[in-house]
Amino acid sequence: MNSRKQFIQNGTFGILSGLMLPTLAFAEISTDFEGLVVNEDEGEAVRMRDGTSIVHIKIAKSQGSDSICFLSESFRPGDFLPVHKHMNEDELIFIHKGSGVFTLGDKEYQVNEGAVIIVPKGKWHGLKNTGGINIEMRMAYTPSGFENFFREVGQPVGQPFVQKTMEERRAIAKKWGMIYKQ
């Protein structure tokens, strides 16, 4: 069983690298960018939706990474990411903890801890937390820059939270090349 699990994990990362690396290979990487190391407790924290969802911006374009940005998000049972699509970025999602129902195109998939999802730009997708614990997920967007959507639509942790209306969120999303389905 352990060797099967290792095979699946290694195979998944091989497939993912095959999907993401061609995109990264053609992205311009600044010669000034020397890489980053970001620990679990580091990164810019932003409160989203009703203030209970937290997004951590771990790697951003503003740090020199033009080809990819990396974020983490935590949201409670019953909360959801509305179905939407990105017009400018491919997205890679890893479900670190929790479970839910992931919409990809016209299909719904049960996702659990360890699930990996690749969403090409222009593809409808969303996620509902149907489990009993917070979903902890990690997301990467290529090219980088979409992390600025979270900065604009959310508010830094530590500041008073003012929830944006769906109309405000739609306008901000459109600015960053994202469209909500409804």
Side-chain angles (χ1 to χ4, degrees), residues 12-27 67-70 89-93 116-121 139-144:
T12 300
F13 289 117
I15 292 168
L16 293 176
S17 64
L19 292 170
M20 296 297 278
L21 287 179
T23 303
L24 294 175
F26 294 107
S67 59
I68 193 165
C69 64
F70 188 82
E89 301 87 13
D90 294 325
E91 183 176 7
L92 176 69
I93 300 168
V116 179
I117 305 135
I118 184 90
V119 183
K121 67 181 170 185
M139 308 94 68
Y141 299 92
T142 184
S144 64

Side-chain angles (χ1 to χ4, degrees), residues 29-143:
I29 298 175
S30 169
T31 56
D32 296 336
F33 184 62
E34 295 183 20
L36 290 171
V37 175
V38 182
N39 288 302
E40 180 66 24
D41 60 343
E42 297 174 327
E44 181 181 344
V46 180
R47 292 169 60 195
M48 302 292 294
R49 293 186 295 284
D50 65 357
T52 61
S53 173
I54 306 292
V55 170
H56 286 88
I57 300 170
K58 306 298 246 173
I59 298 173
K61 186 172 191 155
S62 61
Q63 295 166 299
S65 178
D66 292 333
S67 59
I68 193 165
C69 64
F70 188 82
L71 302 90
S72 66
E73 183 168 6
S74 175
F75 61 97
R76 63 183 164 68
D79 197 1
F80 64 96
L81 305 175
V83 174
H84 63 283
K85 62 183 173 181
H86 305 273
M87 302 311 294
N88 304 319
E89 301 87 13
D90 294 325
E91 183 176 7
L92 176 69
I93 300 168
F94 173 72
I95 306 297
H96 182 62
K97 292 183 183 172
S99 62
V101 174
F102 193 87
T103 300
L104 183 61
D106 295 330
K107 297 180 182 177
E108 290 188 336
Y109 300 87
Q110 178 65 41
V111 292
N112 300 301
E113 183 175 314
V116 179
I117 305 135
I118 184 90
V119 183
K121 67 181 170 185
K123 190 77 161 176
W124 293 111
H125 62 286
L127 175 62
K128 180 168 184 168
N129 185 342
T130 57
I133 64 170
N134 278 9
I135 282 183
E136 302 282 341
M137 62 186 223
R138 310 299 186 249
M139 308 94 68
Y141 299 92
T142 184

